[in-house]
Amino acid sequence: MAWRFALMIDPVSDDDTRTDVADTFTAIDPAAPALTVGELSTQRGDGIFESIGVVDGHPQEVEAHLQRLAHSARICDLPAPNLAQWRAAVLFAAEHCGAGESVIKLILSRGVEHGPAPTAWVTAAEASDFTRARTDGIRVVTLDRGYTLDVPARAPWLLLGAKTLSYAVNMAALREARSRGADDAVFITSDGFVLEAPTATLIVRHGDTFLTPAPNAGILHGTTQLSLFEYLQAQGHTAGYSVIAAADLADADAAWLVSSVRLAAPIVAIDDVAVPHDVVLTAEMNRYLLSPRD
């Protein structure tokens, strides 16, 4: 990953109405040390983050990402982020991204143990090349997430539905998928319903209808999926949410994993069962997702 920029933020309260927040930012060397050993984000993964795709210096879907950051903060009982401050930080970082595809990450940590809180920073880096995934497609396996569909409602302390820094399970799932000869995974509940991928949202197509699992089971509401649904509906398609049984995945006419940086990656096999690959529609999706979107 080629780092392009890093910015430490001195968070201001959510009710701070100042319009100029430039004095709350400090540009730092992205390769230099920046966090203390007592930082809870590194000690416990106690914090939240967002990844924003940037195309030719234009940050995509900033408002949707900021709203999701605020949503994650509420779930995790973190101080409410001042969205005007974070918005300014995103635009400042985007100015350093240049041509091509980049990724801006927003990180809000609970702070330092027994010390100042919270800690916040923004990074910008060159995005990986996802051409192969977007054109040739990906193979996925289904993995048991270890809880039933109703657990998020019964156990909100599990923080399901928040984009937290605690990504050890997600990364372990990707390693397991690769050990099985696949590129990615799709989580399912222990009672057999589809959730999401470790770092992406699932969309399945049945005829002219596009569906994604309903975000009421601890699923992270996908910003790219929301934008793509608007595009599909504008093209005359039907798009919506549903409780999807894992057993029904094999009947899909097409399927994709979508995310802010990889964009739309067509699924060509689920658990070694081939899935139809709509090459033309996938190309149209990615052309749209690479266009400037606010």
Side-chain angles (χ1 to χ4, degrees):
M1 176 180 289
W3 293 102
R4 290 179 166 167
F5 187 69
L7 189 72
M8 295 300 296
I9 299 175
D10 180 14
V12 298
S13 65
D14 186 39
D15 56 4
D16 192 314
T17 58
R18 76 179 80 177
T19 56
D20 185 3
V21 292
D23 61 345
T24 67
F25 305 152
T26 303
I28 61 172
D29 180 351
L35 300 177
T36 71
V37 294
E39 171 59 44
L40 293 174
S41 62
T42 55
Q43 286 196 5
R44 301 174 183 168
D46 194 357
I48 57 177
F49 77 103
E50 283 291 320
S51 297
I52 299 177
V54 184
V55 179
D56 294 331
H58 184 277
Q60 305 281 55
E61 301 156 348
V62 174
E63 294 307 315
H65 282 285
L66 292 179
Q67 291 301 322
R68 195 167 66 178
L69 185 76
H71 175 72
S72 294
R74 287 192 295 271
I75 293 176
C76 296
D77 197 25
L78 285 164
N82 183 306
L83 299 189
Q85 182 189 32
W86 285 91
R87 186 179 301 109
V90 170
L91 296 179
F92 191 24
E95 292 176 358
H96 296 77
C97 286
E101 295 182 51
S102 305
V103 55
I104 289 175
K105 288 193 176 182
L106 319 180
I107 302 98
L108 177 62
S109 158
R110 202 169 301 277
V112 178
E113 188 169 21
H114 310 306
T119 306
W121 66 99
V122 170
T123 64
E126 182 180 339
S128 299
D129 184 357
F130 291 110
T131 302
R132 187 196 66 80
R134 295 171 188 170
T135 56
D136 297 344
I138 57 175
R139 302 175 65 86
V140 305
V141 293
T142 55
L143 298 178
D144 191 336
R145 189 63 176 85
Y147 59 78
T148 56
L149 193 65
D150 63 341
V151 160
R154 292 191 289 107
W157 51 87
L158 296 179
L159 306 182
L160 302 172
K163 195 173 180 68
T164 73
L165 294 170
S166 304
Y167 253 46
V169 170
N170 302 61
M171 298 301 99
L174 289 176
R175 291 193 296 272
E176 177 65 21
R178 288 161 188 158
S179 74
R180 300 187 188 189
D183 303 291
D184 212 321
V186 171
F187 286 130
I188 60 173
T189 65
S190 296
D191 48 352
F193 295 97
V194 179
L195 294 169
E196 58 192 345
T199 63
T201 305
L202 174 71
I203 295 176
V204 296
R205 178 181 186 177
H206 294 281
D208 200 39
T209 299
F210 295 78
L211 297 173
T212 194
N216 58 359
I219 295 175
L220 195 68
H221 214 148
T223 56
T224 306
Q225 167 259 312
L226 285 168
S227 183
L228 195 54
F229 271 15
E230 291 180 1
Y231 168 77
L232 291 169
Q233 289 167 334
Q235 301 303 308
H237 301 292
T238 300
Y241 301 87
S242 180
V243 176
I244 302 173
D248 294 338
L249 287 177
D251 297 329
D253 294 323
W256 297 263
L257 291 185
V258 300
S259 57
S260 298
V261 182
R262 187 170 58 182
L263 305 182
I267 296 174
V268 296
I270 301 175
D271 292 332
D272 291 326
V273 176
V275 176
H277 177 190
D278 192 328
V279 177
V280 174
L281 180 57
T282 298
E284 292 173 356
M285 287 179 171
N286 282 315
R287 274 195 296 272
Y288 165 72
L289 292 174
L290 285 167
S291 67
R293 292 173 290 116
D294 295 320

